[in-house]
Each structure stands twice: as C-alpha cells, then as structure tokens.
Amino acid sequence: MDPWYALSEIRKHGTDRTWWRKRFLTLVVSRYFSGLGRPDADPVIETEWDHLIILDACRFDLFKAVYDDNQLPGTLNRRKSVQSGTPGFLAENFGDGTFHDIVYVTGNPYVDTNLPDGTFHAVESVWEDGWDDERQTVLPETMAKRTLDVAERYPDKRIISHFIQPHAPFVGDVRLGQRETFAIREHAMGNEGSVQRHRTPFEMLESGEASHEQVWEAYRSNLEFAWPAVNRLLAELPGLTAVTSDHGNAMGERAWPFPVRVYGHPLGVLIPALTDVPWLTNTNGPRKEITPEPPQSVDTEIDERTTERLQTLGYAE
C-alpha cells in the first residue's frame, strides 16, 4: 500500500471509529480467517441437489425462526458456507471451474459481473429485465416464476435460483432504511457515480440509528416476504431441491478471537453469524437426469446502469 495514501486516509478518517473497525476487519481479521483461523465449510457444489434455491444473506437462526412459525416441506439442517459475502461465495464455489450442467437464475448481478463467461451452461439475469422499480429489487414471485420457466426449458440441467431476499433493501411488511437505488444492480449496469449509496440497516444498527430489535424485525420480514415463493418452488420443482444461503448478516457479534464487533457481511470474516446458513432439502418424485452441454452464448451486456444497481445493495461504494 502507498504510505502517502495510507497517511491521507488516516488524516481523513482518523476519528471515525467505524472506519477503523472496517480497516481492522479487512487488514487483520479477514487475513486471520484466510489462514490459521479458517473454519471447515461445505461448498454447495459438492452437495447433492437438482435445484438449489439461494436466499441471499440469510443466517441460519433467522431462517429457523421463520421456519418454526411457518414450516416448509422437507428436512432442515445447518451447513457452513465457504464465505461471508456473495463475491467470495461465488468465487470459492464456482470461480475455478466450469459447470455446464447448471443454469443459474439470478436476481443478484454478481453472478454476471464476477464470474467468467461460460462458467455455467446458461445464466438467466432476472436482475436485468425483471426489476421492480418501485421497490428497487427483484420480487420473490418474479424469481419463482422465472425459475419454473427455466426448469421447464432446461429439464436436463441443474438449476440455481438466487433470490435477493432477505438481503436489503428491506421491503417486507416491516421496512427499514432507504430504497431509492439498489447498489449492486446499478454498479452492474455501469451507472457509476449517478446515485448515492445509502446506509444499510446494519450500518444503522452499528451507528445506533436503529435498535437490534428494529433491524431483526425488518430482516425477518424481508425473509417472510420471500417465503411463499420458496414454498411454491418446493411444491412444484421435480427431483431434489435444496434451500440455502450464500452467507448471513452480523448484528454486532464479536469476531472471535478479536474483540471487534461485526455488522453486515464483510468479506473474509468467517464467524458463525456469517457462515452458519440453512440447508433444507425436499424431494418430489425421482431425481432428474442431468446432461452437461456447452454453454450458450452470453448476451448480457454490462453497461453504465449496472454499477448503480450494484451500489444500491451496499457492496459498491
């Protein structure tokens, strides 16, 4: 790192405790977890499934709380994700290989921007053409409908359906935070600098602007918002369907063995709040017969609007 740049950053942010916490998490904690402190994990690509439903940023205890009140068909277990953020989850599961037996249906633009072309047989970019402008997200029912359509068009492929919920923006019955723009999508569309990045609910919790109870209630409501769509997929998809998450969200848990508290889902911080995720499996009839085939041509264009759509989710500055 350029020492003059580091000095200028310290002069600019030196009294900001949040800035120091984030630097410590990036420079110390994440390096510890990438080395000696790395826990065992369960890569999704090494598990059995015909269809995989990913609920973005859904920690296990949140899923279990909603499941206890409104059970889904199937058997619920806990698994350990490989990473604490979507970019790392995608890179560590899919970044070093080709998976031409998979069609990836995604509301999250990182699938398009962070993985090489040809990684999957096909990518269905719902974030691009299935966007809800009013709520600045891809609605769960849109994801369910597109997933069922893709499963019908590709009966001999494994299908991944990557929902945005319960990741912010929180647009369920209990809402929290601003939703004018969706950062990840805008970044992916190339609209850099054209929108303001608003504070996430977890940043509001960190600053004391929102309470733990307020954030948890809105976080849970966002998962409940997706619940009927997940239930529909479990009922209608044939074969073995699994429901999981790429990572969780921290709400002030400590990054043991360090005393620093963690909020949101900083990459590389592999604590249970961020890596303990659900693994629910349900079988409808016989397993699918899967046939790998060369990837279809990619026609998703990463233009100026994509950057803004990434910024709204809170990943891109």
Side-chain angles (χ1 to χ4, degrees):
M1 177 184 292
D2 183 346
W4 293 110
Y5 172 77
L7 182 60
S8 67
E9 286 293 289
I10 292 172
R11 285 174 175 171
K12 180 179 179 181
H13 301 287
T15 60
D16 184 344
R17 295 178 62 184
T18 298
W19 182 84
W20 279 109
R21 180 186 289 117
K22 290 180 177 179
R23 299 289 79 72
F24 185 79
L25 289 171
T26 299
L27 299 175
V28 178
V29 177
S30 66
R31 292 184 181 181
Y32 165 78
F33 282 116
S34 67
L36 294 177
R38 188 173 185 90
D40 292 335
D42 309 305
V44 294
I45 203 61
E46 297 178 5
T47 56
E48 286 290 321
W49 46 270
D50 298 318
H51 306 95
L52 182 68
I53 301 169
I54 297 174
L55 298 170
D56 204 302
C58 183
R59 50 191 282 169
F60 175 80
D61 55 357
L62 177 73
F63 189 95
K64 181 67 162 54
V66 177
Y67 176 83
D68 285 345
D69 290 340
N70 188 7
Q71 292 198 3
L72 297 169
T75 303
L76 176 61
N77 290 291
R78 183 194 311 248
R79 58 171 285 272
K80 186 77 70 173
S81 182
V82 296
Q83 257 295 344
S84 56
T86 304
F89 169 84
L90 293 172
E92 294 192 29
N93 277 290
F94 308 110
D96 294 329
T98 55
F99 306 90
H100 296 164
D101 61 339
I102 294 176
V103 176
Y104 206 122
V105 185
T106 182
N108 190 315
Y110 273 139
V111 177
D112 299 270
T113 62
N114 283 37
L115 292 175
D117 293 345
T119 298
F120 305 106
H121 175 68
V123 175
E124 190 87 358
S125 304
V126 188
W127 60 270
E128 192 171 36
D129 60 359
W131 190 251
D132 184 274
D133 289 321
E134 179 183 352
R135 282 180 274 194
Q136 287 295 304
T137 191
V138 178
L139 301 181
E141 54 264 35
T142 303
M143 283 297 301
K145 184 177 183 300
R146 189 70 67 87
T147 300
L148 291 169
D149 175 65
V150 168
E152 185 176 346
R153 283 191 279 131
Y154 299 94
D156 61 347
K157 300 292 182 291
R158 295 198 290 169
I159 309 295
I160 298 178
S161 179
H162 194 142
F163 283 60
I164 291 177
Q165 293 76 31
H167 196 291
F170 289 169
V171 294
D173 290 340
V174 181
R175 302 190 178 191
L176 182 68
Q178 295 174 293
R179 300 175 306 280
E180 285 82 354
T181 50
F182 185 93
I184 293 178
R185 184 176 186 258
E186 298 307 325
H187 178 73
M189 298 295 287
N191 293 335
E192 298 190 49
S194 62
V195 296
Q196 179 182 357
R197 181 195 178 281
H198 299 293
R199 294 165 68 81
T200 70
F202 300 97
E203 290 169 334
M204 294 169 64
L205 173 62
E206 180 179 10
S207 67
E209 188 178 347
S211 70
H212 188 283
E213 182 180 3
Q214 287 174 313
V215 175
W216 184 264
E217 187 179 10
Y219 187 22
R220 172 173 174 147
S221 180
N222 220 36
L223 177 57
E224 292 172 336
F225 181 49
W227 212 251
V230 175
N231 193 27
R232 178 185 178 188
L233 291 180
L234 287 170
E236 297 188 29
L237 288 172
L240 174 61
T241 298
V243 182
T244 190
S245 182
D246 48 354
H247 59 85
N249 264 312
M251 300 186 62
E253 292 87 354
R254 295 189 185 277
W256 191 91
F258 304 97
V260 63
R261 293 189 181 276
V262 185
Y263 298 87
H265 48 273
L267 198 61
V269 181
L270 306 183
I271 62 174
L274 297 179
T275 58
D276 284 4
V277 294
W279 185 256
L280 182 143
T281 54
N282 183 63
T283 302
N284 283 336
R287 295 288 303 275
K288 295 171 65 173
E289 294 186 9
I290 304 299
T291 304
E293 291 181 287
Q296 296 183 347
S297 60
V298 178
D299 57 8
T300 298
E301 200 173 306
I302 306 304
D303 58 24
E304 292 186 357
R305 291 181 299 166
T306 310
T307 297
E308 290 183 4
R309 293 167 189 180
L310 279 163
Q311 287 172 344
T312 314
L313 250 185
Y315 286 101
E317 299 294 338

